[in-house]
Amino acid sequence: MKTIIEAKQVKKTYGTKENVFTAIDEFNLTVRQGEFVGIMGPSGAGKSTLLNILATIDEPTGGDVKIDGTSIVKMNEEKLSAFRRDKLGFIFQDYNLLNTLTVKENILLPLALAKMNVQELEKRVNEVAVKFGIVEILEKYPYQISGGQKQRTAAARAIVAKPSLILADEPTGALDSKSATDLLEGLKGLSEHDQATILMVTHDAFAASYCQRVIFIKDGKLFTELIKGESSRKQFFNRVLDVLATLGGGVSDVI
């Protein structure tokens, strides 16, 4: 499988010479196509900073980041904007749906600038709606649907343009256990059957147990890494809990 994320010696500092805070310190990360990777760590460990760098929202102080073979570090804003649109999909904790648009119209947003014929647009929307079980709500508005349906709509929007990388920031944070499970099963299916590449920041061991591997960060550095391998989801969940207990990170009660 080809490499989708290749981050080498990534560093991010804030402040002045007299008062420097290092959020990410000489961090390396490789993610291959089709992987579902979790990022975990205590509050302030550098998870969000790393995600923002990979999302092209923030620039690293040092090192290099390649996504789908392209270095994003020295791109100008115009190229970064096009890169985000063409290569990245985003799933946020607070959904970021537009209440004035239907579910279907929200999903179509990433394709709005693409010169795609109507038949292809309809096909793409129907495909992702089926994957996330939201066909019956396509004509409804976000204020008419549940939180779980909103997040599955957001996930459908993230993948409709078939991006190289899907970045998910605490996607289950606002969901009940049933809705979280539905979303995670959908993401797992995308990884396994559609070769979608997903990087998910989460504090929740239950969510992390759906990943193929989990990377733990502490003080901006790699603490350790778990690979699911042949473990069952419940076995992997317990292994994640064990590392979190050692790390001192937050632990979810949900199982």
Side-chain angles (χ1 to χ4, degrees):
M1 289 295 174
K2 70 176 180 176
T3 299
I4 299 297
I5 299 175
E6 187 176 12
K8 291 184 176 180
Q9 300 293 297
V10 175
K11 189 165 188 171
K12 182 63 180 180
T13 59
Y14 298 96
T16 62
K17 287 183 179 180
E18 294 76 24
N19 188 21
V20 176
F21 171 70
T22 302
I24 296 290
D25 192 7
E26 306 291 323
F27 196 84
N28 297 307
L29 175 65
T30 300
V31 178
R32 303 197 183 283
Q33 184 177 14
E35 280 198 285
F36 186 6
V37 179
I39 302 284
M40 302 192 82
S43 179
K47 304 184 300 295
S48 295
T49 301
L50 177 63
L51 192 74
N52 286 341
I53 289 172
L54 296 175
T56 73
I57 294 167
D58 203 354
E59 289 184 30
T61 308
D64 189 30
V65 179
K66 289 182 181 177
I67 296 178
D68 203 9
T70 300
S71 177
I72 60 173
V73 171
K74 294 181 180 178
M75 279 189 190
N76 61 37
E77 189 51 48
E78 184 179 352
K79 287 184 178 179
L80 281 175
S81 180
F83 186 86
R84 285 185 209 111
R85 184 186 68 235
D86 298 337
K87 296 288 187 178
L88 303 179
F90 299 93
I91 308 174
F92 304 96
Q93 182 175 338
D94 57 0
Y95 322 128
N96 280 17
L97 301 177
L98 297 177
N99 277 323
T100 54
L101 300 181
T102 65
V103 166
K104 182 177 181 178
E105 289 166 342
N106 269 284
I107 294 171
L108 282 172
L109 273 178
L111 302 176
L113 298 176
K115 295 179 180 178
M116 195 175 291
N117 65 52
V118 175
Q119 285 183 323
E120 180 63 19
L121 289 174
E122 293 286 341
K123 180 186 172 195
R124 290 272 190 101
V125 172
N126 287 331
E127 282 177 354
V128 297
V130 168
K131 288 181 193 298
F132 285 100
I134 54 173
V135 174
E136 73 283 356
I137 63 166
L138 284 175
E139 300 306 323
K140 291 187 176 182
Y141 289 86
Y143 59 83
Q144 296 175 311
I145 62 178
S146 70
Q149 290 170 324
K150 287 178 183 176
Q151 194 58 295
R152 281 182 279 149
T153 297
R157 179 186 60 192
I159 70 165
V160 73
K162 299 183 179 179
S164 299
L165 175 64
I166 298 165
L167 298 166
D169 188 8
E170 301 282 5
T172 62
L175 304 181
D176 59 49
S177 58
K178 170 67 167 64
S179 298
T181 300
D182 289 344
L183 175 68
L184 291 164
E185 288 286 357
L187 294 176
K188 182 169 171 275
L190 285 174
S191 168
E192 292 177 348
H193 305 304
D194 298 288
Q195 289 300 297
T197 308
I198 306 166
L199 190 75
M200 176 177 70
V201 167
T202 183
H203 69 282
D204 184 1
F206 174 74
S209 70
Y210 280 82
C211 297
Q212 294 163 1
R213 62 183 170 117
V214 180
I215 293 163
F216 297 85
I217 300 177
K218 185 175 184 180
D219 299 327
K221 295 183 177 182
L222 175 68
F223 179 76
T224 192
E225 179 181 32
L226 286 182
I227 298 173
K228 184 177 182 183
E230 299 301 316
S231 303
S232 68
R233 191 196 61 74
K234 189 167 183 179
Q235 288 171 330
F236 196 46
F237 172 85
N238 288 325
R239 289 170 61 199
V240 170
L241 286 181
D242 288 343
V243 174
L244 287 177
T246 305
L247 188 61
V251 176
S252 172
D253 296 324
V254 185
I255 185 168

